[in-house]
Amino acid sequence: MTSAGEVLYHLDEEVAGADQRIRPYVRETPLEYSPGFSRNWGAEIYLKLENTQVTGSFKVRGAVNRLLATPISQRVLGVVAASTGNHGAATAYAMAKLRIPGTVFVPKGASPSKLSAIKAWGAEVKVHGGDSLEAELEARRYAESKGLLYLSPYNDPYVIAGQGTIGAELVRQLERIDVVCIAVGGGGLAGGVAGYLKGLGRQVTVLGCSPENSKVMYQSVKAGQLLDLPSEPTLSDGTAGGIEPNAITFPLCRALIDDWVLVSEEEIA
């Protein structure tokens, strides 16, 4: 898998493969009915509890899938990642489980608790730049200079397929799915889940949800091209920051996200 087109048209197959590949390393997280939200909105609303996933987020799905799909001869040399925290912790966990050395680049101001989680799994941490995009570009440069695998938080077809395994679980857990609301930062989660569900022929509406203070993918989709835009501070740090140039998630989000919801800091709080 190398192109956005291949990911878009074969994502259901790739997600199915990832679902089998990563199962020994991740949890199938609960899908819980929410009486309160359902009552308030007049619909049957369920919450996919990825906060109960190992390392505390969905990111471990993509990190594990990327490493398991990489030839052992390459991955044992070491791995480089960049993250505001969740992807870093996921990569560090995957490296520890597969006994691979690695380094995680983080931007200044990254959450101390997330930095602690990365270090707890044994990864080396390097601080670079003021936002996630600056850290990503430096991490990729560093990896290429040393001949190491760069594990992107979203701009990688195997990472996208790994995140899409949430879609495979949703299908197992709920017979009818009308609308899926998905947080969007770099777009890997939205692209993976939406690509899987729509690849199965499901008539599902996908809502991309982004903080008002960092809505780079939303603005890029509206403009028809990836934009280099600043982000304001947001409580939703996991979806904050810029997007790598030529990211394959951009055409996926354009094709698969049906509508957008922008969320204020007050609403997030």
Side-chain angles (χ1 to χ4, degrees):
M1 297 189 302
T2 55
S3 74
E6 288 174 336
V7 176
L8 178 59
Y9 294 111
H10 300 290
L11 196 48
D12 54 332
E13 300 172 11
E14 298 298 341
V15 169
D19 191 44
Q20 295 297 315
R21 186 182 295 123
I22 70 175
R23 194 52 46 199
Y25 301 93
V26 306
R27 297 170 183 155
E28 178 158 324
T29 55
L31 183 70
E32 294 287 347
Y33 176 72
S34 173
F37 285 164
S38 298
R39 181 174 58 253
N40 290 344
W41 293 99
E44 293 187 4
I45 295 180
Y46 293 79
L47 306 176
K48 186 67 166 140
L49 303 185
E50 282 297 291
N51 58 307
T52 66
Q53 186 57 264
V54 292
T55 75
S57 90
F58 70 91
K59 290 287 191 178
V60 71
R61 299 171 181 270
V64 169
N65 192 51
R66 170 73 266 186
L67 291 183
L68 291 176
T70 301
I72 295 176
S73 59
Q74 172 63 39
R75 71 191 190 210
V76 296
L77 299 176
V79 178
V80 180
S83 173
T84 54
N86 287 335
H87 175 66
T91 302
Y93 164 84
M95 291 189 299
K97 288 295 182 181
L98 298 175
R99 299 182 180 179
I100 300 168
T103 303
V104 178
F105 282 74
V106 300
K108 298 174 184 176
S111 165
S113 63
K114 292 180 179 179
L115 291 181
S116 295
I118 295 171
K119 294 175 181 177
W121 286 109
E124 180 184 2
V125 174
K126 291 183 180 292
V127 179
H128 181 89
D131 72 4
S132 58
L133 179 57
E134 292 179 1
E136 286 172 33
L137 295 177
E138 177 62 16
R140 187 181 285 278
R141 185 204 63 77
Y142 179 85
E144 290 175 352
S145 71
K146 296 186 175 297
L148 304 175
L149 172 68
Y150 172 64
L151 207 166
S152 170
Y154 56 87
N155 191 19
D156 183 295
Y158 289 102
V159 170
I160 295 169
Q163 321 302 31
T165 59
I166 290 176
E169 292 181 12
L170 289 174
V171 169
R172 289 196 290 267
Q173 294 170 322
L174 193 62
E175 183 176 353
R176 176 177 172 179
I177 303 172
D178 298 310
V179 180
V180 182
C181 302
I182 308 175
V184 180
L189 175 64
V193 175
Y196 179 77
L197 294 175
K198 293 191 174 188
L200 295 180
R202 292 291 186 109
Q203 299 300 308
V204 58
T205 297
V206 177
L207 298 182
C209 307
S210 293
E212 281 273 10
N213 282 5
S214 187
K215 51 189 177 184
V216 179
M217 184 63 82
Y218 164 81
Q219 292 172 298
S220 296
V221 168
K222 295 300 181 184
Q225 60 180 333
L226 266 177
L227 303 175
D228 182 10
L229 299 170
S231 294
E232 297 296 323
T234 175
L235 293 170
S236 182
D237 62 315
T239 59
I243 300 168
E244 193 173 34
N246 301 314
I248 60 174
T249 51
F250 173 65
L252 293 180
C253 287
R254 289 188 69 186
L256 297 170
I257 294 178
D258 300 296
D259 205 352
W260 293 82
V261 177
L262 301 180
V263 189
S264 70
E265 291 304 293
E266 292 75 19
E267 288 172 315
I268 294 172

